[in-house]
Structures are given as C-alpha cells and as structure tokens.
Amino acid sequence: MKLHRNLVFATIDSLDLIFNENKQADKVLKNTLKRDKRWGARDRGFIAETTYDIVRWKRLYSEIAEVREPFDRTNLFRLFTVWATLNGIAIPEWKQFEDTPTRRIKGKFDELSKIRKYRESIPDWLDDLGHKELGKKWDKEIAALNKQADVVLRVNTLKTTVEKLQNELADLEIETEILKGYPDALKLKERANVFTTDAFKNGFFEVQDASSQKVAEILDAKPGERVIDACAGAGGKSLHIATMMENKGQLIAMDIYENKLNELKRRARRNDIFNIETRVIDSTKVIKKLIEKADKVLIDAPCSGLGVLRRNPDAKWKLQPEFLDNIRATQKELLDSYSRMVKPGGQLVYATCSILPSENEMQVKAFLARDEGKNFTLLNEEKIMPSKSGFDGFYISLMQKKV
C-alpha cells in the first residue's frame, strides 16, 4: 500500500483533535471526511479506519513509540509510524518520518504484548476493574472489544421485509447476510455508507447493533399497550418497540435531553411511525403523572458503555473511575424512581450496554431486595458477552410487577 500525503495528514489532524482537544472521535471524523470532495470511498475508509485504529491502540503505540501526552505533531507521526510498521506498510521518505526507529517497533510490540494492559491498550484502573469484576473472563472480553465492530441494520418491518431489503441493497452492490436468532437484522459483509441509499432515506432500516435489537424483543411490547421508554435518547430502541407495536397503542419516549428527543421525532417521521409521544423529564412531576400507568417500562440506563468500546474506542481514554461510581448511583435512582410507572401485573426491563456485573445483575439484585423493588420478580436476564456473540456487550433483565 502506498501512503498518500493528504490522507495521512487528514488522519494526523483528526488524531490531534481527538487526543489533544478531547473531541469525540465520530464527530471529528464526520467533519474531516467532508474536507475534500475528491476523496472516494476507499480514501475516506483509510482515514476513518486508521484514525480509529490509532485511537484504539493509543497506549500500546505510545509505549512503543516512547511518546507521552499531550502529543505534538512529531509524536503523532511517530504513532502513525508504529501503526504503519505493524501493518506492514512501507514508510515514505517524507521529512515528517525522519528518525523513526522502525527496526525496534516489532521487537517492542512482541515484548509489550505479554502484558495485558499494553496488549489490549487500556488504562491501569480499567484493567484492574475488569479483572476484579470478571476474573479470567476479562482477557477474552477485552480482546473481543478491541476488534472492529460489524455494521448491522435493523429492518423496519412496517415498510419492508428482511428479504426485500437484502435484495434492494444487493442491487447497489451492498452485500448483507441474515443473522440467525435476530429476526429483523442484516449484517453488512463489507463496510459501506448505507446512509446515502434511498432505502435509508425512505425509512426501510436503521443502523442498530444486533445485541441492541434484543432489548425490544425481550420487552415484547404488543399492539395497543401503553409502553414507556424512560431513557429514550435519540430513540433507536423506541423505533424498534413502536415497530413491534405495529403503530398501535401509545409509546411514551422520555429523556432529560430535549435535543435527543427532537432527533427521535425526525427519525420516527422517516420510519412512518406515529404512535410515539415524546416527553422531556424536566421535573419529578413528569414521572409522578405516570405512576402505575404503563403496561411496560424500559429503563435503558446510562452506563459505562464498556460493552460498546468496539464502536467507541475513544471512550476508554475518557472514562474515569469516579464517573463509574456516579453512574452506578444514577442507575440505582432510575430503578427506584422509574419502576413506579409500571402498573400492577406490568413488566419492567432494565438494560445497559455494559459488561460489568456491578452495573448489571448486582444492580437488579439490590433493587429487588429494596422496598422500591419488593413488588417485582425477576423473570429472565440475558448477559450478552462480545467474545461469545461477536456483537456489542449488553445486559437485559425482565421483571414482573405483582398484581
């Protein structure tokens, strides 16, 4: 592979913003990729994948390159050299690459690969925490979370079928495969920009990981029910729930951020979904009005996001131990408060995109032991581990409220 100067420089500029200005990787790349209209899909793919790769392996690469944050441009080129050398790409004779010790890179890589925190490129505290909570399983899970995520679509069955969409995408040379055990899912065989397709613009699908699709399935909302998605965000799961309700009944999508709910409204219009009502949680009154009013409540709780590190590799550098303590306290509060909206005989689903027991089964166990949860019984819980499923890490529990 021959390296092109403008693509390498775009990658370095992106890394500078992500590492030194603490910007979100996906937002940085969205802007970078608009920079030159002449770039084709392969050029944009190179910038995005190389940037994500270097973000993912930041600790390992900076150790090999012997550079420390904040990274100046020379340091960033050294990180790039490590990436290129380990991927078997020849370093061009540009002045930016002068004095790069390519011969030592592979030796240092072999040496550091014996130590998990370097091999998997994670902060010390996160490695300690993962090992403490998951024991020997941590090795397999963190290795799986460092692999590139697949692109999975969720077919909008109100507008088309899995087979029809598969054929429509095949006509555009976007090859997909059906996933056993995920009735509405199609997995892309190769990465492609599906957002420019007419099928997307017409609301025939959403991009949603296979594990995330399990949440609505376990909630199993039926047409005509009153369902509350209490932490709806931009509504990926709300749209799936509404589809399963066949647009019949009422789905109340709630969040503390109005801008996210506005995005959900926009997506619902594209999906031809009209049984969703959005409500901003701007006071405790919003919850009080709905006490014991819902057949089903979903608490898709804010969490560490450890289960989705493959698609958000920069999150492991932003996460802090104190954030985890705070988020566990928030999860407890949400369970205690939002569970009150379930009517007697109704059901509650608590879900996270984390693989840590302290955010998952331990939260549910503690809830069921408290006064707030004493009227609930655990019916089912599913722990989706990336090493086994090949998809995001998720936890989903289904509880029933006594009549």
Side-chain angles (χ1 to χ4, degrees):
M1 180 200 260
K2 184 176 179 251
L3 292 173
H4 297 279
R5 197 179 285 264
N6 62 347
L7 303 182
V8 173
F9 279 43
T11 303
I12 298 293
D13 292 344
S14 300
L15 292 168
D16 182 36
L17 292 169
I18 296 163
F19 291 151
N20 298 328
E21 294 190 27
N22 215 19
K23 298 270 198 286
Q24 260 178 271
D26 57 344
K27 288 181 178 163
V28 166
L29 283 165
K30 206 174 176 181
N31 289 330
T32 301
L33 298 179
K34 289 177 187 164
R35 207 150 83 176
D36 192 330
K37 287 194 168 64
R38 292 167 302 178
W39 288 337
R42 191 172 287 178
D43 299 330
R44 288 197 299 273
F46 172 85
I47 295 166
E49 284 169 34
T50 308
T51 302
Y52 269 127
D53 245 8
I54 296 171
V55 169
R56 186 173 282 119
W57 303 110
K58 176 179 81 164
R59 182 168 193 187
L60 176 64
Y61 288 1
S62 54
E63 205 66 32
I64 293 171
E66 295 175 358
V67 295
R68 292 280 171 270
E69 285 185 274
F71 302 124
D72 61 22
R73 275 188 98 70
T74 307
N75 291 162
L76 292 171
F77 274 100
R78 286 182 80 123
L79 292 178
F80 187 94
T81 304
V82 174
W83 172 83
T85 304
L86 293 175
N87 283 282
I89 297 164
I91 302 295
E93 290 181 8
W94 306 345
K95 72 173 177 41
Q96 286 84 359
F97 290 118
E98 282 168 7
D99 310 322
T100 47
T102 47
R103 278 201 314 277
R104 289 213 314 272
I105 287 172
K106 285 176 180 156
K108 286 198 79 173
F109 173 78
D110 292 340
E111 185 189 315
L112 290 166
S113 291
K114 295 177 184 129
I115 305 160
R116 185 178 56 216
K117 63 186 180 184
Y118 296 126
R119 178 179 72 243
E120 303 301 349
S121 194
I122 40 176
D124 286 4
W125 72 269
L126 187 54
D127 190 37
D128 293 342
L129 177 71
H131 186 254
K132 182 182 151 199
E133 292 216 16
L134 292 167
K136 287 179 180 167
K137 290 181 192 162
W138 176 238
D139 285 63
K140 268 197 313 197
E141 298 314 328
I142 191 60
L145 286 167
N146 271 324
K147 293 190 166 64
Q148 192 184 47
D150 288 313
V151 178
V152 180
L153 313 181
R154 180 185 55 75
V155 180
N156 179 1
T157 52
L158 293 174
K159 301 191 84 168
T160 188
T161 65
V162 170
E163 290 74 18
K164 277 183 190 166
L165 181 65
Q166 189 173 34
N167 291 334
E168 188 171 336
L169 292 173
D171 290 344
L172 302 171
E173 294 180 359
I174 299 172
E175 296 299 327
T176 59
E177 58 187 88
I178 288 169
L179 294 177
K180 202 179 163 193
Y182 302 89
D184 302 333
L186 280 175
K187 185 177 93 171
L188 264 58
K189 289 186 181 176
E190 279 181 23
R191 299 181 87 76
N193 185 1
V194 289
F195 298 114
T196 55
T197 62
D198 284 342
F200 177 74
K201 289 170 189 165
N202 293 328
F204 289 0
F205 68 86
E206 291 288 331
V207 173
Q208 186 180 2
D209 187 76
S211 299
S212 173
Q213 294 185 34
K214 284 271 184 199
V215 177
E217 277 177 45
I218 288 171
L219 184 75
D220 195 23
K222 298 281 192 276
E225 288 184 329
R226 177 186 256 192
V227 181
I228 296 172
D229 183 355
C231 309
K237 295 178 189 72
S238 295
L239 296 171
H240 192 189
I241 295 163
T243 306
M244 291 179 76
M245 293 170 76
E246 298 169 14
N247 260 331
K248 294 165 190 158
Q250 183 188 28
L251 173 56
I252 300 171
M254 309 167 82
D255 204 272
I256 56 172
Y257 300 110
E258 190 171 9
N259 61 323
K260 289 185 177 180
L261 293 175
N262 289 336
E263 170 68 3
L264 164 54
K265 285 182 197 168
R266 200 175 62 74
R267 292 170 78 185
R269 280 195 297 273
R270 191 180 65 243
N271 280 257
D272 273 359
I273 285 168
F274 39 80
N275 69 330
I276 297 179
E277 179 195 326
T278 60
R279 293 190 195 177
V280 182
I281 304 171
D282 50 10
S283 74
T284 53
K285 282 182 196 159
V286 181
I287 306 299
K288 278 182 185 160
K289 278 182 187 167
L290 290 165
I291 287 176
E292 298 200 339
K293 294 281 195 336
D295 295 296
K296 290 181 177 166
V297 171
L298 167 62
I299 302 174
D300 180 25
C303 68
S304 62
L306 275 188
V308 293
L309 278 185
R310 297 180 315 155
R311 61 189 72 255
N312 300 317
D314 52 329
K316 57 185 170 179
W317 312 123
K318 293 186 169 82
L319 260 183
Q320 296 299 330
E322 55 274 19
F323 172 79
L324 259 169
D325 294 335
N326 294 337
I327 213 73
R328 287 191 201 103
T330 302
Q331 290 162 353
K332 175 181 181 288
E333 283 166 27
L334 295 182
L335 271 166
D336 289 352
S337 174
Y338 295 176
S339 61
R340 296 177 300 156
M341 296 187 287
V342 181
K343 69 185 190 189
Q347 292 182 331
L348 171 67
V349 166
Y350 172 80
T352 76
C353 54
S354 173
I355 56 171
L356 297 178
S358 64
E359 295 184 83
N360 297 337
E361 58 265 42
M362 285 162 72
Q363 280 286 17
V364 169
K365 196 177 174 186
F367 167 68
L368 295 171
R370 289 194 295 275
D371 277 354
E372 290 82 357
K374 68 176 187 293
N375 287 327
F376 286 88
T377 313
L378 181 65
L379 297 182
N380 171 21
E381 64 180 351
E382 195 159 338
K383 298 171 211 175
I384 305 172
M385 301 308 260
S387 69
K388 203 172 172 192
S389 71
F391 300 111
D392 290 345
F394 257 79
Y395 171 82
I396 311 158
S397 63
L398 175 67
M399 291 166 268
Q400 177 112 25
K401 191 172 187 176
K402 291 168 190 156
V403 178

